[in-house]
């Protein structure tokens, strides 16, 4: 795989990190003339992988009783948002936002159909700020990054509001993206401390709705997919972002795989999942 990537015969990626049984077992960085000579010290924009981190923050807020009911109307959290008191929006809930099924800006039925919409994740961040008094960047720093030892962080802020975006804009080093994946693989635990409840990890990485991409279903801001395996298929949960950013959590193999790329690939799927299926998984022992 490494030779194929470096020789230009396989997918263009900036880096690949593989964690197995909690150990860094593979790490490689690739140099392209138009890019920034990525290495282990370089942050990589995760784009929409940010959404999955925000999902973890929702779980933490629920664990602390700051959010009590995913099925409460959005208006109960955001009473100043008059639009959510209108007849066609007054039944929109946080669960709808988390599963991209709120139908905002469309005429589709509420809660029935998945439609990818970053505005819905921005509203999740707005709710988090309302119930905690803090932006998602501060919440993540205090509750996720500090406990995990993630120190090199950048988070894009909206130039108008000055607030961190919830749907995109978080940049971390590849190993730190892998730490996020390992936290999920550990069902919310890190070094003996429960950062987010195991029940939230289980809920958020379970299938809640089918998507418009045949290969995926969707949880709470996490994508759910499968890879071929000798026993049939392996299910995994993933944070996915523009330009094929991927943090893939594979519980059955106790493994986390991170891909970062600098050029867009089709539907955020190929070619990195091809590298996973053709090279990484076949090279993985089943013990």
């Amino acid at each position: 795989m490494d030779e194929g990537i470096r020789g230009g015969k396989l997918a263009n990626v900036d880096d690949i990190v593989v964690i197995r049984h909690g150990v860094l077992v593979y790490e490689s960085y690739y140099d392209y003339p138009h890019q920034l000579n990525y290495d282990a010290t370089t942050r990589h924009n995760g784009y929409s992988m940010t959404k999955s981190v925000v999902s973890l923050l929702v779980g933490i807020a629920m664990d602390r009783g700051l959010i009590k009911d995913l099925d409460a109307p959005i208006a109960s959290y955001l009473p100043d948002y008059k639009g959510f008191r209108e007849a066609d929006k007054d039944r929109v809930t946080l669960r709808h936002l988390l599963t991209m099924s709120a139908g905002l800006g469309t005429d589709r039925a509420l809660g029935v159909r998945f439609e990818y919409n970053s505005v819905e994740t921005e509203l999740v961040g707005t709710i988090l700020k309302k119930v905690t008094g803090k932006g998602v960047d501060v919440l993540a720093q205090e509750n996720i990054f500090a406990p995990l030892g993630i120190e090199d962080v950048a988070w894009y802020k909206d130039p108008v509001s000055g607030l961190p975006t919830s749907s995109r804009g978080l940049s971390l080093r590849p190993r730190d993206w892998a730490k996020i994946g390992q936290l999920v693989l550990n069902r919310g635990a890190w070094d003996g401390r429960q950062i987010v409840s195991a029940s939230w990890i289980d809920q958020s990485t379970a299938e809640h709705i089918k998507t418009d991409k045949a290969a995926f279903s969707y949880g709470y801001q996490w994508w759910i997919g499968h890879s071929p395996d000798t026993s049939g298929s392996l299910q995994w949960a993933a944070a996915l972002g523009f330009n094929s950013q991927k943090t893939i959590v594979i519980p059955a193999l106790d493994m986390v795989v991170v891909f970062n790329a600098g050029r867009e690939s089709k539907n955020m799927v190929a070619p990195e999942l091809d590298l996973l299926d053709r090279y990484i998984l076949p090279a993985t022992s089943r013990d």
Side-chain angles (χ1 to χ4, degrees):
M1 179 179 70
D2 192 81
E3 291 176 357
I5 294 170
R6 294 188 189 282
K9 297 178 181 179
L10 294 175
N12 65 291
V13 291
D14 299 335
D15 55 77
I16 302 173
V17 175
V18 180
I19 309 293
R20 183 86 197 281
H21 301 320
V23 177
L24 178 65
V25 297
Y26 182 86
E27 180 180 37
S28 196
Y29 296 85
Y30 304 94
D31 182 17
Y32 294 95
H34 70 289
Q35 296 175 340
L36 301 174
N37 301 327
Y38 288 114
D39 62 24
T41 68
T42 309
R43 291 192 309 267
H44 209 296
N45 192 336
Y47 296 97
S48 285
M49 289 204 295
T50 306
K51 293 177 170 71
S52 300
V53 175
V54 169
S55 174
L56 294 174
L57 295 177
V58 173
I60 291 169
M62 291 199 71
D63 294 341
R64 297 178 181 178
L66 299 174
I67 294 174
K68 295 181 173 62
D69 185 3
L70 292 183
D71 295 313
I74 295 300
S76 66
Y77 294 106
L78 304 174
D80 297 334
Y81 280 56
K82 296 180 181 179
F84 288 112
R85 294 200 297 270
E86 297 173 357
D88 61 337
K89 300 299 180 188
D90 60 358
R91 295 184 297 112
V92 174
T93 68
L94 182 52
R95 192 185 306 274
H96 293 134
L97 299 181
L98 290 169
T99 57
M100 298 281 188
S101 62
L104 300 181
T106 73
D107 58 359
R108 57 192 168 90
L110 179 65
V112 173
R113 181 183 167 194
F114 172 92
E115 186 166 325
Y116 195 74
N117 185 343
S118 289
V119 171
E120 298 186 12
T121 312
E122 293 299 333
L123 283 169
V124 173
T126 300
I127 291 170
L128 283 168
K129 189 172 193 307
K130 186 72 173 181
V131 301
T132 67
K134 298 176 181 180
V136 290
D137 57 341
V138 175
L139 287 173
Q141 176 60 41
E142 294 177 350
N143 297 287
I144 299 176
F145 302 152
L148 270 58
I150 296 174
E151 298 177 346
D152 191 1
V153 178
W155 203 312
Y156 175 80
K157 291 181 173 59
D158 183 273
V160 176
S161 69
L163 297 174
T165 52
S166 298
S167 61
R168 60 188 176 92
L170 173 60
S171 296
L172 302 174
R173 295 179 304 177
R175 289 186 187 182
D176 291 333
W177 282 116
K179 285 185 177 182
I180 298 296
Q182 187 67 41
L183 176 66
V184 173
L185 185 62
N186 293 348
R187 298 182 70 222
W190 191 268
D191 283 345
R193 175 182 173 185
Q194 200 69 38
I195 305 299
V196 57
S197 65
S199 62
W200 179 258
I201 297 297
D202 293 344
Q203 291 177 58
S204 59
T205 59
E207 178 183 311
H208 289 280
I209 193 167
K210 300 292 185 182
T211 76
D212 51 358
K213 302 181 190 301
F216 294 116
S217 54
Y218 205 64
Y220 296 155
Q221 306 286 292
W222 288 88
W223 297 86
I224 315 302
H226 295 80
S227 288
D229 183 62
T230 54
S231 61
S233 69
L234 286 169
Q235 180 171 305
W236 42 258
L240 302 182
F242 177 75
N243 275 5
S244 297
Q245 320 310 322
K246 294 177 177 66
T247 299
I248 304 169
V249 180
I250 313 172
L253 296 179
D254 194 24
M255 186 161 72
V256 175
V257 180
V258 172
F259 295 104
N260 294 122
R263 283 182 279 180
E264 184 177 7
S265 63
K266 186 177 180 181
N267 295 329
M268 298 193 300
V269 178
E272 290 76 18
L273 291 182
D274 188 48
L275 297 180
L276 177 74
D277 294 347
R278 288 178 57 196
Y279 296 96
I280 297 174
L281 293 182
T284 305
S285 68
R286 293 310 190 258
D287 56 17

